[in-house]
Amino acid sequence: MGALLLCENSAIDADQYDSVVFWSSFDKGENIYSIPRIVEDDYEAFKQQYLNWLHELGNANVGGRCITEHLAVRKEFSMWWMSLLVEKSQWKSPGLYNAFRLLAFDRLMQKEGIDKERISRVVINVHDQAVQKAVKKWCVDSGIEYVINTSGDTGSGLSSRRLFSALPYTLQAFSSVFYHVVSRWVARSLCHPKDEVANNSQISFISYFFNLDKSAIEGGQFFSRYWTALHDQLDHGHNKFNWLHLFVKSKDIPNVGQAAEFINKFNAKASSHQSHKLLDSELGWKTVCGVVRDYTKMWRAGWRLRKVDSLFSATNTKISLWPVLEHDWKDSIFGKTAISNCFFLNLFESAFQKLPFQRQGFYLLENQAWERSLIYAWRKAGHGQLIGVQHATVNALDLRHFNHPDEYSNEQILALPLPDKIAVNGDASRKMYRDGGFPEDRLLKVEALRYLYLDSLKDRVHSTVARDRVRLLVLGDYLPTVTQKQMQLLSDAFSNLSGKVEIFMKCHPACPIDLANWPLLEITIFDTPLDQLINEYDVAYTSNATAAAVDAYLAGKKVLTMLDPDTFNMSPLRGFPRVQFVVTPDDLIQHLFHDEETQCTSLHSDDNLFFYTDFNLPRWNKLLNGAPSKNSRFLR
């Protein structure tokens, strides 16, 4: 009988074990197995396994009612659909990828690779305590001895965020109520919608107050990079429009008070037939009381479901996902996420009840939790067609975009809230939704507003030509931890790149970097839109989740994407030519200087348009029943 070592990414004493399993490395060899590699190689099977389990969990019978019913706070709406578990966002749920890795570990030990009957002892050398607990339970249930060879990662140092996270969930929740009211109450008195427009409008847009053109908004003109050329269509049409904005803190607009000032500037423009309003302007004592009332319902339901952990094992597995998903459950029922969801529900209900009948509504679709409450509140208020606008890219492992197929045909009163239509911006995303089981007759084709500039590139042929200095554009990630890994890989390779590469960087707006932390790298930071940088670089180096990689790819550039063993490969360019996934500094160096002819073929074929790009926006005009316009401010 032998021993197995489960470790992060290195095993100095590997010879002492019959098998070594890497938790955070793509390395593999004889009797050496990589959990991230198993997930990457069979991601579709693991995705379906996870979605099946999640569907079963929502319908699990506890005390005569399913979980969805237990969490109902309205006759026709359940907070189950706003939970972190259903949202399935890797950015909000750090345990999500670990859940996939645990499923891969269970498969490795039960069905392939390792003969479990020959393993008598498992040495657990993984720092994450939740993973330790899950593997420990698996060993106990399998009758295998285990040894935990590390104390676990409890974090280092004190911070306000760490201290807050250490509080009981209920205390976190009520602290969040206080913070939300104090920080956003000002919108109630400062934000003044344009009533003469709002009261006569028939079309609404719900969008983030984020990613705005700063020079435009300072001049009193609303211009969002999410909607780009559509602004001209709305300005020159005959309809009146409502804009309901969700405030997102940024360096340009750091607080709600400043956002309200900009809103008032937009509304003061006499010629505009658009009314702007912050969702937070609906905040009031009635809303706060509604939030507390709904939270109390959630808390009581959570108490009734206190033994739900027994349901966190996928069918035909011995692994429990409860240790890595416990936080998602408890935070969604008892914590600050529960409070945030209650605020969204009550604010949307208040906002939509005040509007006259709206013939159409459009919102930025990312399948986040707040969208479920928007859909419910819109329907409750009796408004017309609601369309979710898919504005970026969709990839196979952004689980927010995927549900069990039965959810799309469920007509029960507490079914998953879905928009009437989803407006997809290209054949790539259309195929993703269709293959994921979403009804094809509920998909609309619209121009990709954020990618219209690519239309002018479709006849270009680019090539990566050998030159004395390659111009490398680094596209940073949304998450600081991922950007850190991306920069570290580049720094490790730089000793062999110095003098050969000119490095530029465009940070994600939510994740700037401090160049002082990277003294070995000579980097020029760009803050200009990506479409204006096309001629400034030869090769793009990206994380595997950023949609900006598609911009570079469709502009005819070679794309190098870092493959991260601690998260999903969420690249929308998986399987495309001219895209290389790099793991080591040697990979980065090799592919950076490998010359190859490249052609932007994805925009050439009418049968395979990655994005729909036409500056005249014929699809959008048809949808809005407006006259086509040949002018666009988007090219300024």
Side-chain angles (χ1 to χ4, degrees):
M1 302 295 282
L4 178 145
L5 173 65
L6 176 66
C7 59
E8 299 282 355
N9 49 27
S10 62
I12 299 174
D13 51 354
D15 293 341
Q16 300 180 23
Y17 301 93
D18 294 86
S19 299
V20 175
V21 178
F22 286 139
W23 186 255
S24 298
S25 173
F26 286 103
D27 293 342
K28 62 180 183 178
E30 186 176 358
N31 296 321
I32 297 176
Y33 304 89
S34 164
I35 293 295
R37 179 61 62 187
I38 294 173
V39 173
E40 173 69 7
D41 289 347
D42 203 9
Y43 64 90
E44 278 292 345
F46 288 114
K47 180 172 77 172
Q48 291 307 315
Q49 184 181 16
Y50 187 83
L51 294 177
N52 290 343
W53 165 75
L54 194 60
H55 177 69
E56 292 170 1
L57 179 63
N59 289 282
N61 189 305
V62 179
R65 290 191 292 170
C66 69
I67 287 178
T68 304
E69 293 171 325
H70 277 285
L71 296 177
V73 294
R74 301 286 187 276
K75 182 180 178 181
E76 298 178 342
F77 184 72
S78 173
M79 281 294 193
W80 166 248
W81 304 118
M82 295 186 76
S83 69
L84 289 170
L85 290 169
V86 173
E87 188 172 8
K88 306 180 294 296
S89 169
Q90 71 148 356
W91 296 280
K92 298 180 183 179
S93 301
L96 185 58
Y97 185 60
N98 278 337
F100 273 59
R101 286 196 281 195
L102 288 171
L103 293 175
F105 174 79
D106 180 80
R107 179 200 285 187
L108 178 67
M109 299 300 294
Q110 288 205 75
K111 300 178 181 178
E112 58 185 55
I114 295 175
D115 184 358
K116 188 179 69 171
E117 302 303 323
R118 297 184 57 193
I119 300 298
S120 61
R121 182 167 60 102
V122 172
V123 177
I124 306 169
N125 197 3
V126 176
H127 297 300
D128 190 300
Q129 290 184 331
V131 174
Q132 291 178 13
K133 291 178 183 178
V135 177
K136 170 185 171 181
K137 185 178 186 306
W138 181 91
C139 290
V140 171
D141 292 345
S142 301
I144 296 175
E145 179 187 350
Y146 69 89
V147 175
I148 296 178
N149 223 13
T150 179
S151 59
D153 183 12
T154 58
S156 59
L158 295 176
S159 66
S160 58
R161 178 171 296 186
R162 190 175 296 279
L163 289 172
F164 181 82
S165 299
L167 296 174
Y169 284 100
T170 302
L171 192 54
Q172 290 182 37
F174 282 99
S175 298
S176 296
V177 172
F178 177 78
Y179 177 78
H180 192 108
V181 171
V182 169
S183 63
R184 305 207 175 196
W185 190 269
V186 65
R188 178 179 173 84
S189 58
L190 288 185
C191 187
H192 306 295
K194 198 169 186 175
D195 290 334
E196 67 272 21
V197 173
N199 294 333
N200 293 283
S201 66
Q202 288 193 340
I203 300 176
S204 287
F205 286 85
I206 300 93
S207 183
Y208 296 113
F209 204 69
F210 179 74
N211 201 16
L212 306 178
D213 186 310
K214 187 177 180 181
S215 61
I217 64 173
E218 286 179 344
Q221 186 176 18
F222 175 60
F223 188 89
S224 166
R225 295 191 180 95
Y226 288 114
W227 302 97
T228 64
L230 190 64
H231 287 297
D232 276 336
Q233 308 294 335
L234 304 185
D235 286 341
H236 296 111
H238 302 291
N239 292 312
K240 291 182 171 61
F241 302 95
N242 273 308
W243 285 89
L244 185 61
H245 300 283
L246 280 64
F247 171 74
V248 178
K249 184 178 179 180
S250 66
K251 64 178 182 179
D252 292 332
I253 308 176
N255 56 64
V256 170
Q258 189 169 345
E261 291 178 9
F262 284 123
I263 291 286
N264 292 335
K265 281 186 178 181
F266 304 154
N267 288 329
K269 189 175 179 182
S271 61
S272 175
H273 48 271
Q274 301 179 46
S275 175
H276 297 267
K277 181 179 181 178
L278 287 173
L279 179 64
D280 289 309
S281 66
E282 293 296 328
L283 192 59
W285 290 119
K286 182 179 179 181
T287 305
V288 174
C289 289
V291 167
V292 174
R293 182 175 58 250
D294 290 339
Y295 174 78
T296 302
K297 293 179 183 178
M298 294 275 287
W299 194 96
R300 289 173 178 168
W303 177 252
R304 294 193 298 269
L305 297 169
R306 60 189 178 277
K307 296 182 180 180
V308 73
D309 58 307
S310 62
L311 301 173
F312 273 66
S313 293
T315 304
N316 298 324
T317 70
K318 289 188 175 181
I319 201 76
S320 172
L321 305 181
W322 175 254
V324 296
L325 297 179
E326 177 184 5
H327 168 75
D328 285 5
W329 171 264
K330 290 184 175 179
D331 194 34
S332 299
I333 309 301
F334 304 112
K336 58 182 174 53
T337 294
I339 286 294
S340 175
N341 291 340
C342 290
F343 266 111
F344 275 121
L345 175 59
N346 283 271
L347 290 170
F348 277 125
E349 284 180 320
S350 177
F352 292 147
Q353 285 170 2
K354 294 177 181 178
L355 282 176
F357 173 75
Q358 299 293 286
R359 173 170 54 85
Q360 281 182 312
F362 298 88
Y363 70 93
L364 292 176
L365 181 141
E366 295 174 344
N367 289 303
Q368 296 201 54
W370 63 264
E371 300 170 38
R372 311 302 189 193
S373 60
L374 179 155
I375 296 168
Y376 164 74
W378 179 270
R379 298 244 170 82
K380 178 183 177 183
H383 295 302
Q385 185 184 52
L386 184 62
I387 300 172
V389 180
Q390 177 262 318
H391 62 90
T393 59
V394 179
N395 66 79
L397 281 174
D398 187 348
L399 299 179
R400 297 175 303 172
H401 295 280
F402 301 96
N403 297 286
H404 189 280
D406 287 353
E407 304 292 6
Y408 300 128
S409 57
N410 188 351
E411 296 183 357
Q412 296 180 7
I413 194 169
L414 291 174
L416 171 67
L418 294 167
D420 297 298
K421 303 283 185 179
I422 290 180
V424 293
N425 62 10
D427 285 338
S429 56
R430 183 167 170 265
K431 183 177 186 300
M432 281 289 181
Y433 271 99
R434 185 184 61 214
D435 292 351
F438 193 86
E440 190 167 8
D441 61 353
R442 295 173 67 177
L443 297 175
L444 299 173
K445 297 180 181 181
V446 296
E447 287 77 21
L449 298 173
R450 298 175 65 181
Y451 300 92
L452 295 177
Y453 77 95
L454 294 168
D455 189 58
S456 63
L457 305 178
K458 63 185 178 183
D459 296 322
R460 296 187 187 183
V461 177
H462 301 273
S463 61
T464 303
V465 181
R467 61 174 77 223
D468 293 337
R469 287 172 68 86
V470 173
R471 299 172 299 174
L472 178 69
L473 177 64
V474 181
L475 297 171
D477 193 80
Y478 171 81
L479 291 176
T481 53
V482 177
T483 299
Q484 171 81 13
K485 291 181 181 180
Q486 192 180 351
M487 297 301 294
Q488 188 62 60
L489 182 62
L490 181 60
S491 182
D492 291 344
F494 191 70
S495 60
N496 292 320
L497 296 176
S498 182
K500 302 177 183 178
V501 176
E502 188 175 4
I503 303 175
F504 306 97
M505 183 163 189
K506 180 172 173 57
C507 301
H508 189 282
C511 185
I513 69 164
D514 184 354
L515 292 180
N517 295 329
W518 307 102
L520 297 180
L521 299 175
E522 299 174 5
I523 300 179
T524 301
I525 300 288
F526 278 118
D527 195 29
T528 50
L530 190 56
D531 59 284
Q532 297 177 21
L533 299 176
I534 292 172
N535 296 320
E536 303 298 326
Y537 67 100
D538 307 306
V539 182
Y541 169 50
T542 78
S543 69
N544 64 36
T546 179
V550 176
D551 295 61
Y553 179 81
L554 294 182
K557 308 295 183 179
K558 181 196 294 185
V559 177
L560 307 181
T561 295
M562 180 191 71
L563 204 56
D564 186 349
D566 288 314
T567 190
F568 295 104
N569 178 5
M570 297 180 67
S571 172
L573 297 176
R574 185 199 296 265
F576 280 72
R578 289 187 287 110
V579 180
Q580 299 292 338
F581 293 98
V582 298
V583 175
T584 67
D586 287 342
D587 290 341
L588 182 60
I589 295 168
Q590 175 186 350
H591 292 299
L592 182 61
F593 293 104
H594 178 69
D595 295 333
E596 56 185 333
E597 291 296 317
T598 65
Q599 186 169 357
C600 193
T601 56
S602 293
L603 285 174
H604 254 56
S605 172
D606 289 336
D607 296 325
N608 184 26
L609 296 172
F610 197 104
F611 291 123
Y612 307 131
T613 54
D614 185 332
F615 279 109
N616 295 323
L617 306 185
R619 294 180 175 92
W620 270 108
N621 276 291
K622 181 179 179 181
L623 191 56
L624 292 167
N625 297 316
S629 170
K630 295 184 178 180
N631 300 316
S632 179
R633 183 171 65 242
F634 184 64
L635 285 176
R636 58 183 170 161

